[in-house]
Amino acid sequence: ELEGNMAELLRRSVLYVKPVDPAIWCGELRKCEDGILPCLRNHLMVLGLLVFEVTVHRHQLYYRLHNDLKVPTFSIIFQGITRQHLDQGILPCIKYFINYFFYKFGLEVCFVMAVNVIGQRMDFYALLHSCALMAVLSRRRRKAIGEVWPKYCCFTAGLMVLQYLLCIGIPPALCVDYPWRTSSQALTSNLIKWLYLPDFTMRPAPYFIFYDHLLLLCSSLQWKVFEEENRAAVRLMGGENVEISRDSLSPEFFPVWSYLDMVKVFVFSYFFWLVLCLIFITGTTRINIFCLGYLLACFYFMLFGGSLLMQPVRYILRLWDWLIGYTCFVIGMKNLLSLGSCAYLDSLLKNGCWLIQAFSMVCTIKGYDLRKSAGGGGGHRVGCDLLHRAPGSEEGFSQLLLPVCGV
């Protein structure tokens, strides 16, 4: 193993492949030859966006001062559209949600962005994000989540800065390799990539920080929303952001008078069943232990769906909280199991094929070197290669029912 590690270093490491240019580590301060514009393209793009933002801001300020207009209480597009206009038709409803969509659903958008970060990365920092997501969701109530949200934003910002420093690493001109490469118990390239450690052979993927940036952007905006919704003027314009506290909903829209009422009838009457269909699709996409939980939840809600919707609201929300908690648990466990499917797949194929079959452990992230494990010529591929076939493959269905492990 040590010889293989040294061979990989000599073949792929920046320290050994060719002479190192110290200017590259300092921001690629090198001659652009005849193509100066490609070197400055990203900087000019950022500068153009800043100039555009300042121009719009100054124009709005001048226009309001010239026409003696007040600055809006909230950053909105359509002036004069408030919560009272939401039920007056399709067009006022669309305008309202253009103004206040993030005010109403920004917290859910942040949760979706957090899951997106976890799904796009599936590494150690994604595991930290999943733990942070479960910690936030465990607060349950919106007011309690708002109290810990500044800490969550600081956590996200700190992780992003740390990852940026790890991507930079130490200057290669020092000709000093990292200890996890030179020690007697050197880490493999796949494990280094999963841990997101700086390395001269397999550099950390810097585009992962982009997903963290989107999460931090939405989280910062939601932090602003938590502050704004405590103001009476904002609540008067955008409406209250409170949880359901009554056991009966207002039936004002059920006598259908407009197209908007028809949309409300569809959402409040059938959206519950559409969500159950999504849960069923999630449970049947793959065959593993985690999907069994989704199927059980789907069958329970479908079996008692009609009578369940007649129960008190608090009881329904409690069951839904259990489903959300189970989903967060599955996300965290899949992230943790990605350590085995991406970094230790070769060992699992030899000794733990049952584990791969039980949890459908497949490395979904590009960049890992799985040629030895998934490629041909190995005597330990057994029946686990079925999991790496394209979905819908007709061959090997009998192996799916009776997987052959250890052959």
Side-chain angles (χ1 to χ4, degrees), residues 187-207:
L187 303 181
T188 62
S189 296
N190 288 339
L191 182 57
I192 291 174
K193 178 177 176 60
W194 192 86
L195 293 174
Y196 207 75
L197 295 174
D199 187 47
F200 293 119
T201 302
M202 182 175 285
R203 296 184 58 187
Y207 63 87

Side-chain angles (χ1 to χ4, degrees), residues 312-342:
V313 174
R314 294 182 182 274
Y315 177 77
I316 301 175
L317 293 180
R318 189 179 302 113
L319 293 178
W320 216 250
D321 286 339
W322 279 104
L323 180 59
I324 294 175
Y326 177 75
T327 304
C328 293
F329 170 75
V330 171
I331 291 174
M333 288 302 301
K334 284 190 173 182
N335 200 346
L336 183 61
L337 291 173
S338 68
L339 173 62
S341 59
C342 294

Side-chain angles (χ1 to χ4, degrees), residues 20-30 43 164 167-174 203:
V20 177
D21 186 2
I24 297 178
W25 186 85
C26 297
E28 299 188 8
L29 302 175
R30 60 178 184 271
H43 299 81
Y164 188 83
C167 288
I168 296 176
I170 62 176
L174 298 178
R203 296 184 58 187

